Amino acid sequence: MMSFFDSFKVPARARTGLAGFGFAIVALMMLSAILAPWIAPYPVDYIDITRQLEGPSAAHWLGTDENGADVLTLLLYGARVAAIVGSVTVVACAFTGIFLGSISGYFGGWVDEALMRLTEILMAFPGILLAILIIFVTQEPSLLAVIGALSVTGWSGYARLVRGQVLVEREREYVEAARALGFPKGRIIFREIVPNILAPVIVQATFGVAGAILAEASLSFLGLGPQDSPSWGALLDQGASYFLLTPHLAIFPGVAIMITVLGINFLGDGLRDWLDPRAIQKT
Amino acid sequence: MGRFLLRRLFSSLFVVFGVVTLVFFAVRAAPGDPVASILGEQALEIDKQALRDCLRLDEPMAKQYALFWGDVVDGTFGELCDERGATVMDKLVDAIPPTMELALASLLVAMLLALPLGILASTRPYSWVDNGSAFVALLGISIPNFWLGPMLLILFSLTLKALPNPGAAVTGLSALILPAITLGTALSGKLMRMTRSSMLEVLGQDYIRTAKAKGLPNVRVVIKHAFRNAMVPVVTVLGLQFGALLSGAIIVEKVFARPGLGTLLLDGIEGRNYMIVQGCVLFIAFTYVLVNLITDLLYGAVDPRIRYE
């Protein structure tokens, strides 16, 4: 797993500060997602055709798009799409990954073999390639389709991580004790082992939120994102066609994506320090 | 080595088998009638039937699957339905060179940026060089390439007028610079951090101290003794990231209106051309599997200490 600071001696207080900064960004983004209808200066479907493609002004802080819609309003609503895609995708992937990965690691044998080969096949599709194919096939680029497509491909990383951890953990004494006590296998796996291996999964899931937001934005930029709601990637795509005229349309959605991803990465690094201190001792 | 090679080859073949099967079923699992979605509801019955025959939709599933394998094995990836006699491979052959050119140029950009900075950072850990390079890496990873591209265009082509505005009839090397920087930046961040941490690990080993104690110049120790051994994890990252490069190329090609696999894929999606879409997806996945296989086999060449089994 990548970390920007794992090999880079930032004083403890600064690291906590960066993590706090990341948390603040994420909290701000969640707030704008939840409160979008109340804090947005205009309704989401508001357009003023007399003021198309205008730069930032007092009435429209971040300018207007080619239909005369307020860019700030669209960005605030776009935070909803990012928040939903980021969180739902990661929860779906992490749960599937924990479930299949722990079974794979605990039982071994043909179950393990089959599941690991399946993850290898899924991982042969780099980046958003399989998601592109799935959305193309289902023909309805909705929010749900995007989340589904990203989840189908995204769980394999979690499964492999969890499997590796379970392989180590199942030899430990407390697991043997649980076995000796005659606990059923399901309880040993999910109540004894899984709680002990959650730390790296949570850290990976945090970075996964950033990954899912970027993936959604990429799909939207390619015209394969949710068509039913304003997404940052789609805004950037529209903006890119006008950037000769008005660069602000392309700049602001990109800044929104970048700051969010940056914030989540800071937060992920902080969480890692806190939850999984072994990970940073290597270098 | 022989046994490892065989096992590695076998597992790659298995993944290829899985990829083909997955793509076959994913495309056929489409809800609704693909013919209606391609031609529209109002199309003539005779056209619909012709397309149905061409896509072999009336055959039993098992026969379709076997024929699909036939298309993959003979290297054509199937015949196109809208162009008589042309195969998907004909289209791919035109699209591959520009994408490979872009991928290799990006790789070059990433390495030129990442290796010197990573090595420099590792020789002066926690200095301003190190912190500065960490910051650059962080930016590289967080900036989406579909945003960096337009920003570079605004800066260099419009404001500074230093580079041509792509999309116009510009060919040659200068039309490659901005796309390669766009695509290479994200990779260089990861590569830089990997180079640095791998170098730090190697620089702490005894044989480096011995080399220094012998009085060898520092540059020689760092480059010749340490860097060669630090390359192994770096090569791994390169191999794994080549896939990201291929899928990133889809986006960068759109940003810069460049021809290539990504443009072919997006045009295929736009025109609902199933053959083209599945051909592109298969080809990209195959390439990625092949690159990973080569990477694994390269380990032994880069670091002879690695013994398989």
Side-chain angles (χ1 to χ4, degrees):
Chain A
M1 226 185 306
M2 257 319 278
S3 163
F4 314 110
F5 299 108
D6 56 358
S7 47
F8 161 66
K9 194 178 191 174
V10 182
R13 191 177 294 160
R15 291 182 73 103
T16 317
L18 279 176
F21 178 64
F23 179 77
I25 290 174
V26 173
L28 200 68
M29 182 218 155
M30 292 305 283
L31 272 180
S32 16
I34 295 166
L35 298 178
W38 294 280
I39 55 174
Y42 296 89
V44 67
D45 48 4
Y46 170 89
I47 52 169
D48 180 355
I49 48 167
T50 60
R51 311 187 67 162
Q52 292 166 348
L53 293 173
E54 275 185 9
S57 65
H60 300 278
W61 290 0
L62 301 184
T64 57
D65 73 357
E66 75 272 23
N67 300 319
D70 181 56
V71 172
L72 178 61
T73 304
L74 294 177
L75 283 185
L76 287 172
Y77 276 91
R80 291 195 145 184
V81 176
I84 292 172
V85 172
S87 50
V88 177
T89 306
V90 163
V91 167
C93 289
F95 270 90
T96 316
I98 290 172
F99 183 72
L100 295 179
S102 55
I103 286 177
S104 188
Y106 189 81
F107 290 106
W110 67 268
V111 182
D112 184 33
E113 197 64 29
L115 279 169
M116 287 304 109
R117 292 298 87 77
L118 182 60
T119 61
E120 273 167 27
I121 292 167
L122 288 175
M123 285 175 164
F125 298 92
I128 52 169
L129 189 64
L130 194 54
I132 290 178
L133 181 70
I134 292 172
I135 292 171
F136 166 72
V137 164
T138 54
Q139 297 193 29
E140 43 158 4
S142 62
L143 201 56
L144 202 65
V146 170
I147 292 171
L150 292 177
S151 305
V152 166
T153 52
W155 63 270
S156 49
Y158 296 91
R160 292 183 80 94
L161 172 72
V162 168
R163 172 185 176 268
Q165 301 274 331
V166 170
L167 279 181
V168 178
E169 213 71 8
R170 73 168 181 197
E171 307 301 332
R172 302 271 287 264
E173 273 151 5
Y174 74 88
V175 178
E176 206 183 327
R179 249 185 246 128
L181 283 170
F183 285 168
K185 292 198 173 78
R187 171 165 180 169
I188 297 177
I189 297 174
F190 297 109
R191 299 269 306 272
E192 305 290 332
I193 298 181
V194 166
N196 281 302
I197 57 162
L198 275 184
V201 179
I202 292 173
V203 174
Q204 179 162 338
T206 312
F207 292 115
V209 175
I213 289 176
L214 273 178
E216 184 274 323
S218 306
L219 286 171
S220 295
F221 179 74
L222 296 177
L224 296 167
Q227 305 290 311
D228 36 10
S229 21
S231 137
W232 290 339
L235 292 174
L236 219 163
D237 180 27
Q238 293 166 21
S241 20
Y242 293 97
F243 76 77
L244 295 172
L245 277 152
T246 47
H248 74 272
L249 274 184
I251 292 174
F252 294 131
V255 171
I257 296 170
M258 193 174 82
I259 291 178
T260 307
V261 169
L262 212 65
I264 295 172
N265 281 330
F266 282 143
L267 182 66
D269 279 334
L271 276 179
R272 186 216 310 267
D273 291 353
W274 183 49
L275 290 171
D276 195 14
R278 272 170 303 180
I280 51 166
Q281 279 170 12
K282 266 200 308 183
T283 39
Chain B
M1 183 75 194
R3 262 186 64 195
F4 167 81
L5 206 77
L6 223 73
R7 232 184 44 208
R8 189 66 187 76
L9 267 177
F10 180 76
S11 91
S12 292
L13 280 178
F14 180 81
V15 169
V16 165
F17 165 80
V19 164
V20 171
T21 309
L22 189 68
V23 169
F24 174 82
F25 284 107
V27 169
R28 267 108 198 129
D33 181 10
V35 172
S37 89
I38 297 168
L39 295 176
E41 298 290 345
Q42 282 84 33
L44 293 174
E45 194 50 46
I46 187 164
D47 290 338
K48 281 188 181 174
Q49 192 53 45
L51 185 60
R52 194 175 293 278
D53 289 343
C54 175
L55 291 173
R56 308 182 191 125
L57 291 174
D58 292 336
E59 308 282 359
M61 200 57 114
K63 193 175 176 196
Q64 284 189 38
Y65 182 61
L67 288 169
F68 187 68
W69 263 109
D71 289 342
V72 173
V73 170
D74 68 17
T76 59
F77 288 117
E79 285 192 8
L80 289 170
C81 296
D82 47 351
E83 275 176 64
R84 283 275 156 247
T87 63
V88 175
M89 193 35 106
D90 296 337
K91 298 282 172 192
L92 285 174
V93 163
D94 293 337
I96 291 164
T99 298
M100 285 301 149
E101 190 184 270
L102 174 62
L104 292 179
S106 315
L107 208 60
L108 193 70
V109 168
M111 285 169 70
L112 284 180
L113 211 68
L115 296 185
L117 269 176
I119 293 173
L120 206 64
S122 75
T123 56
R124 292 180 181 75
Y126 316 127
S127 66
W128 66 268
V129 180
D130 192 15
N131 294 352
S133 81
F135 182 70
V136 174
L138 170 63
L139 273 186
I141 292 164
S142 299
I143 297 178
N145 49 15
F146 47 87
W147 186 67
L148 182 60
M151 292 306 114
L152 288 174
L153 272 178
I154 291 174
L155 183 63
F156 286 102
S157 293
L158 299 180
T159 314
L160 301 178
K161 310 239 182 264
L163 287 169
N165 183 9
V170 183
T171 47
L173 213 55
S174 58
L176 189 60
I177 295 175
L178 290 186
I181 293 177
T182 306
L183 192 52
T185 309
L187 176 59
S188 74
K190 288 178 183 154
L191 206 58
M192 198 188 299
R193 302 316 291 162
M194 197 67 223
T195 307
R196 178 192 180 278
S197 63
S198 172
M199 280 293 288
L200 270 182
E201 209 168 307
V202 172
L203 283 174
Q205 285 179 14
D206 287 343
Y207 77 92
I208 296 294
R209 199 182 320 144
T210 311
K212 280 186 182 160
K214 272 201 309 189
L216 290 180
N218 210 11
V219 176
R220 198 182 149 99
V221 174
V222 169
I223 301 299
K224 232 189 139 189
H225 294 243
F227 181 62
R228 274 194 63 176
N229 283 319
M231 275 300 277
V232 179
V234 177
V235 168
T236 318
V237 173
L238 270 184
L240 285 174
Q241 290 300 320
F242 193 78
L245 224 49
L246 286 176
S247 84
I250 301 173
I251 288 166
V252 172
E253 280 170 12
K254 180 178 173 181
V255 171
F256 291 95
R258 264 179 74 86
L261 279 175
T263 307
L264 184 66
L265 176 66
L266 291 178
D267 287 347
I269 289 173
E270 189 85 21
R272 299 217 66 76
N273 191 329
Y274 282 77
M275 302 304 284
I276 292 280
V277 173
Q278 76 188 15
C280 288
V281 170
L282 282 176
F283 181 80
I284 294 175
F286 287 173
T287 311
Y288 186 42
V289 172
L290 184 69
V291 168
N292 276 334
L293 177 67
I294 294 173
T295 315
D296 268 12
L297 300 182
L298 266 182
Y299 289 167
V302 176
D303 186 349
R305 284 176 306 181
I306 293 179
R307 291 271 172 273
Y308 305 102
E309 302 322 312

